[in-house]
Amino acid sequence: MPDNDRPGGRTALDRRVFLAGAAIGMVAGPAWGAGGWSRVDLAGVDPAMIDDLLLVDDMTVSAANLDRFRHRPAARHAHPAAPPAVPVAAPVPRTIPGLPGRPAVRTVQFDGDPGRRRQGRGAVVWMHGGGYIAGAAGIPVDLRVAAREHGWLVVSVDYRLAPEAVFPAALDDNLAALCWVHDHADTLGVDPARIAIGGASAGGGHAAMLAFAARDRSAVRPACQILIYPMLDDRTGSSRSARPGTGQFIWTAASNRFGWSSLLGMPAGGARVPVAAVPARRRDLAGLPPAFIGVGTLDLFLDEDLAYAAALTAAGVAVDLRVVPAAFHAFDGVAPQAPASRSFTAQWIATLAAAIG
C-alpha cells in the first residue's frame, strides 16, 4: 500500500500536505468553524466551466457525454447577487459528557429559540465534513436560519478525527451528543420524538453510522437522517473503481482511500474492514429513520449514494432522493448562490422541517 495511504503514524503535517494536494485543492478557512468551507481553490479550473456545471439544471451528465460536456465552448454566466445577509447569532461552544468510559465531547450549539417560547421543539444533531480526517464542529448558515425560524436547537459535534482516533471514536462522540439531547429533552425544551441527525460528506457518513448505532445501542429513534452527498463506502476508489467522469473535483478516489484508511486504521476496501464502520456494507437496514439523500452526478459518491438509497427503500425506509445534474462534490459550498445550490439546500431544509418542525 502506498505510504500516503498507510493509516499509521501520520502527523498533523501529513494531513495538511494531503489536504493541500487532494483533488483540485481544498482551502480551509474561517468557515470551517461555521459548518462549511470559506472558499475552495479552483486554480486550473475554468470559471466558465464551474458556471456551466452549476447553472445547467436540466442536463444529465453521463460517462458517455461527460467529455463532450467538459470541452464544449463555455458560455460565461453571471451568478445572481447574493441576497442580503440575515444576521444570525454564532453557535456557542459547550462540552457535554461522553459515553461511559469515554472522554467528554466538545460541541457548538445554536439555540433558535433561546427564550423557550416554544416547548416540544425540534432539534438537530449535526456532523461536519472533512473526509473523516479534518474539519471542526460548525453549523451551516442556512441551518441556523431555519433553526431560528422554527425554534430548533442545533448541536454540532466536534468529534475526534482520524487517524489519531480510529473507529469507533467519532461514532461514540456523535452517539453521546444524540443521547445527551434526548436525555435532557425536558430541560432543553425539545420533543424527544423530534430529534434529527445529519451532515454533509463525511458528516453524512457519520450521520448514517449514527442512525445504526441509535437503533442498535440506545433508546433514541431519530426523526430523520439528512445525508448530504454522504461518504458511505470504503470500497469506492479502492477495491471498486469509481464511475468514469465522477470524482474529478474536490474529492477524488485517492482522497477517499486516504480518508477511509485513516478512519478504519487499516487499508480501505479490504475483507477485514469492520462492517459497523461502513454504512454501505450493512445489510440490516430495517428500522432506520427516514432519510434525505442528495448527491450530484459528477460526485465520486454518486453510485454508492444511489445504491444506499435503493437499499434503504428495499428495507422499507422512506427516502427522499435528490440527484443534481452536473454537480460535483460540495458544489453548494463552492457556489452557494447558483440556482442548483439554492434549490438543493431548500430541498433538504424542507425535508428536515417536515420531519421535526
Side-chain angles (χ1 to χ4, degrees), residues 271-342:
R272 294 173 44 245
V273 167
V275 173
V278 185
R281 289 182 182 250
R282 300 289 293 260
R283 293 293 176 264
D284 52 338
L285 279 63
L288 293 176
F292 173 95
I293 299 177
V295 66
T297 57
L298 300 184
D299 198 311
L300 179 72
F301 301 148
L302 173 62
D303 284 342
E304 66 186 62
D305 289 357
L306 293 178
Y308 195 65
L312 286 171
T313 301
V317 178
V319 177
D320 182 355
L321 174 64
R322 304 300 173 109
V323 180
V324 184
F328 46 78
H329 192 68
F331 67 97
D332 52 339
V334 174
Q337 295 308 318
S341 300
R342 295 203 305 266

Side-chain angles (χ1 to χ4, degrees), residues 147-161:
R148 190 174 64 177
E149 177 183 352
H150 297 282
W152 301 333
L153 172 70
V154 184
V155 176
S156 179
V157 191
D158 200 12
Y159 55 80
R160 285 170 285 173
L161 297 173

